[in-house]
Amino acid sequence: MSDVVTTQDLDSRLEKHRTELTGYCYRMLGSAFEADDAVQDTMVRAWRNFDKFEGRSSLRSWLYRIATNVCLDMLNAGNRRARPMDLTAATPVAQAALNSRPEVTWLEPVPDGRVLPSVADPAETAVARESVRLAFVAALQHLPPKQRAVLILREVLAWKASEVAELLETTVASVNSALQRARATIAEHGSQETDTANPLDEEQQKLLERYVAAFEGYDMTALTALLHEDATLSMPPYDLWLRGHDDVVGWMLGVGEVCRGSKLVPVVANGTPAFAHYHPSQSGDGSFEPWALTVIEIVEGKVSGITSFLDTKRWFPLFDLPPRLEKE
């Protein structure tokens, strides 16, 4: 079952695995940029050590072994990326204050195209989208690095326990034990399933259209009707987060009032619907400037979570979004 790979075609053979490797590293690290760095390091190590690749396993398995080691080395620094709700309790809107934390604190969004390879099987696509949701990747961050690798390889990528044991140079019993512990931790930290863009059905699409109309029109009555009663709003790099549609709307009618008159451009991030949020430009020429990348979570026909990533200088180029919108 070995791959015969010559030096001449190695580049193209390696590139075929880049997207799935990036998805694996993103789940491990919780950062789109760190995942890119990890995959680039993996490719460089593969090039340098190709003469040692003897074809005892597939090229794909060999690359995953290298990528796993790269990620484990990066995670040894002890950093665990998180969402605001992993770090603090919900704040009542009346007591809300914006406290920024360093970039390395936060779980990062990622465009689907960078981490989800095209596959023909709808069931595989659904699992892949589910496994890059913000809530699921945040739950993964609670696992020790090797347990994280085991869970992703076994549950997301459907590797056999024997294959994972060979990759990690351990026993099948050890892999099964790690998987059991990892499942228990994931269950403890709860990762409620949300609707993925797979694609959206007609009802979900209409919900998003109503969301856009309500937000762009700043109609808070209409927006409230679209939110779950315990919907959350968070805004990395601030550790503040709000729970409940009353507090969410209260924020938007207070500090968030600056968002009035904004435009939303649909995108897809982390397997779920998202929007590029453009704010009216201070230039007064009627144009719009980047304000946030907003990831939307939908549960049972209503919006359950709004995560607005405010560092647009990082996110808009990553999602190939224009640096401004001209006056309509």
Side-chain angles (χ1 to χ4, degrees):
M1 196 171 77
S2 65
D3 288 332
V4 178
V5 185
T6 64
T7 309
Q8 288 76 15
D9 71 359
L10 181 56
D11 247 348
S12 61
R13 293 295 299 273
L14 293 177
E15 282 301 315
K16 288 178 183 177
H17 298 283
R18 181 176 290 275
T19 301
E20 65 170 307
L21 286 171
T22 304
Y24 174 62
C25 293
Y26 172 72
R27 296 175 184 101
M28 286 288 289
L29 302 170
S31 163
F33 296 103
E34 286 186 357
D36 281 344
D37 290 345
V39 172
Q40 195 56 38
D41 193 357
T42 298
M43 298 300 187
V44 170
R45 292 190 193 189
W47 252 110
R48 288 176 177 169
N49 296 287
F50 185 64
D51 58 335
K52 300 175 185 175
F53 174 63
E54 300 172 353
R56 287 195 297 263
S57 63
S58 69
L59 176 64
R60 179 173 181 256
S61 298
W62 186 59
L63 288 173
Y64 268 93
R65 178 193 291 265
I66 298 171
T68 300
N69 289 331
V70 170
C71 288
L72 293 178
D73 287 345
M74 293 173 74
L75 289 168
N76 279 339
N79 184 50
R80 175 173 68 84
R81 292 187 177 260
R83 299 185 302 165
M85 47 280 291
D86 299 318
L87 302 177
T88 65
T91 304
V93 70
Q95 301 168 21
L98 294 176
N99 174 45
S100 179
R101 297 205 188 191
E103 173 272 320
V104 294
T105 305
W106 302 114
L107 182 69
E108 297 180 350
V110 71
D112 282 18
R114 294 176 83 96
V115 294
L116 298 178
S118 299
V119 294
D121 187 342
E124 282 186 40
T125 301
V127 169
R129 288 186 186 277
E130 179 69 22
S131 69
V132 294
R133 288 186 308 107
L134 287 175
F136 183 76
V137 179
L140 286 174
Q141 306 306 300
H142 291 280
L143 300 175
K146 283 196 175 179
Q147 281 187 31
R148 203 179 303 180
V150 168
L151 185 81
I152 297 166
L153 291 166
R154 291 282 286 119
E155 304 263 287
V156 177
L157 301 177
W159 283 39
K160 296 175 181 176
S162 57
E163 294 171 329
V164 178
E166 182 179 355
L167 182 147
L168 293 175
E169 297 182 340
T170 187
T171 64
V172 169
S174 177
V175 167
N176 289 336
S177 176
L179 179 59
Q180 190 173 9
R181 294 196 303 274
R183 284 171 173 166
T185 302
I186 292 289
E188 179 185 342
H189 288 280
S191 172
Q192 184 181 31
E193 289 191 10
T194 55
D195 295 352
T196 54
N198 193 31
L200 295 170
D201 61 29
E202 185 177 354
E203 183 180 337
Q204 293 165 334
Q205 193 61 52
K206 286 181 178 178
L207 171 67
L208 291 176
E209 289 169 2
R210 291 197 298 271
Y211 178 87
V212 170
F215 191 86
E216 291 187 345
Y218 231 67
D219 183 343
M220 293 298 112
T221 301
L223 186 66
T224 300
L226 304 177
L227 299 175
H228 270 283
E229 187 174 346
D230 61 350
T232 62
L233 171 67
S234 59
M235 297 159 283
Y238 299 115
D239 59 14
L240 169 75
W241 67 284
L242 304 163
R243 168 173 276 152
H245 54 50
D246 289 343
D247 275 359
V248 171
V249 169
W251 172 266
M252 290 184 175
L253 290 174
V255 177
E257 181 78 23
V258 294
C259 292
R260 188 182 290 272
S262 294
K263 295 291 182 185
L264 299 180
V265 176
V267 293
V268 177
N270 293 81
T272 57
F275 295 100
H277 175 178
Y278 288 86
H279 186 267
S281 173
Q282 293 183 340
S283 67
D285 63 0
S287 65
F288 297 83
E289 299 173 346
W291 185 261
L293 180 83
T294 300
V295 181
I296 302 294
E297 294 166 278
I298 302 172
V299 174
E300 296 175 352
K302 286 196 172 185
V303 174
S304 62
I306 304 169
T307 305
S308 290
F309 294 92
L310 301 180
D311 189 356
T312 56
K313 289 181 180 178
R314 286 167 66 80
W315 309 128
F316 276 47
L318 183 67
F319 282 78
D320 295 322
L321 290 161
R324 67 190 291 114
L325 298 180
E326 300 304 326
K327 182 179 179 180
E328 293 180 348

